[in-house]
Amino acid sequence: MTKLSGKVALVTGAGQGVGQGIALALAAAGAKVAVTGRTITKLEATCAMIAERGGSALPIAGNVKDPANLEDMVAQTVARFDGLDILVNNAQEVPNGQLLDVSDEAFVAGFESGPLASFRLMKLAHPHMVARGGGVIINLASSAGIRWDMAGYGAYGAVKQATRVLTRAAAAEWGRQGIRVLTIAPHAESPGLKWWIANNPVEAEAFFSTIPLGRIGKLEEDIGRAVAALCGPEMAYLTGATIPLDGGQANFD
């Protein structure tokens, strides 16, 4: 695939899991990719995988809760690759637990690493995308925000629903500038999901039995390639939507 040839992407939290899967798929589609995260060795491993396939990638260590780090991520990406066309806001600290058990610090960290970091990066990316004639922003949400039983997921769901609202607003405000903004809500074989399964085996079994396709998504093949497709020219009329990459489980209608 080369449909993203000439495009430049920035993916947060790309040292492992969903972020890494997305970075690999974007690179396979022809994009140059800046990968960010807190652990440089993980980022370098992602970049090495991309380089082995003939792609081009740049590792940038940083914390999405730090505004200066966010500015540096965008600045380094633009300096290295001469622009920015695709932004994927994947990094997120998860404030899981019953409401009485979630601390203020964990709740704030969820918002700082999630919707606030996405908000800041979206604004930082905006002028560079405008200069290129448009771009695509992919924000990550979760079906946890629309669960039938919100017990234990209130803080996390609140964070992810805030991200969906930002997507809708940016899509409405920036569409005439050629910038499309989408949300994906994936189920994938990520370290976070594996941790949840290990710590909630009974609930996990019941949860996954409700997935029509009967399996969890693969990081690159199912989630990453879907994101690459959403960023491609064939999807030029799609914006403001939440795409549930979850095997048909959630209903965002």
Side-chain angles (χ1 to χ4, degrees):
M1 295 189 299
T2 58
K3 63 183 177 182
L4 298 181
S5 179
K7 302 297 184 181
V8 177
L10 169 61
V11 183
T12 68
Q16 62 183 7
V18 172
Q20 184 181 74
I22 292 173
L24 292 172
L26 291 174
K32 298 175 182 177
V33 186
V35 298
T36 80
R38 290 178 293 186
T39 307
I40 189 63
T41 53
K42 291 183 178 181
L43 300 175
E44 290 172 342
T46 299
C47 290
M49 294 170 69
I50 291 173
E52 288 171 2
R53 303 177 180 190
S56 180
L58 171 69
I60 307 173
N63 189 332
V64 293
K65 294 190 294 183
D66 186 330
N69 284 183
L70 297 178
E71 292 180 6
D72 182 61
M73 291 172 190
V74 173
Q76 284 200 49
T77 301
V78 173
R80 173 70 172 271
F81 297 129
D82 299 320
L84 180 59
D85 305 284
I86 298 166
L87 169 64
V88 180
N89 286 308
N90 166 68
Q92 171 76 68
E93 293 183 22
V94 178
N96 269 339
Q98 300 279 330
L99 294 179
L100 293 177
D101 297 327
V102 176
S103 67
D104 286 3
E105 291 77 14
F107 194 50
V108 170
F111 269 94
E112 285 183 336
S113 63
L116 182 53
S118 297
F119 174 65
R120 287 168 168 164
L121 274 173
M122 287 160 65
K123 292 196 294 182
L124 288 167
H126 177 268
H128 300 290
M129 291 184 174
V130 170
R132 305 267 280 193
V136 182
I137 297 172
I138 304 287
N139 294 323
L140 269 78
S142 169
S143 59
I146 58 168
R147 282 176 59 89
W148 62 96
D149 176 7
M150 289 301 300
Y153 297 91
Y156 180 44
V159 166
K160 289 303 189 181
Q161 289 296 80
T163 297
R164 292 183 66 208
V165 173
L166 288 175
T167 292
R168 291 287 298 170
E173 294 177 10
W174 300 346
R176 298 297 178 90
Q177 297 170 309
I179 298 174
R180 296 189 295 116
V181 191
L182 297 163
T183 300
I184 63 167
H187 289 335
E189 301 169 336
S190 66
L193 185 63
K194 291 178 180 178
W195 178 93
W196 181 77
I197 292 172
N199 286 273
N200 303 274
V202 176
E203 184 178 359
E205 183 177 358
F207 183 75
F208 296 130
S209 70
T210 65
I211 298 176
L213 291 184
R215 64 180 179 84
I216 305 301
K218 297 178 180 178
L219 297 172
E220 180 180 357
E221 293 89 337
D222 293 321
I223 310 305
R225 289 178 185 172
V227 169
L230 291 170
C231 293
E234 298 87 353
M235 296 293 178
Y237 199 53
L238 179 63
T239 193
T242 296
I243 314 297
L245 301 176
D246 62 356
Q249 184 192 55
N251 182 3
F252 281 89
D253 293 342

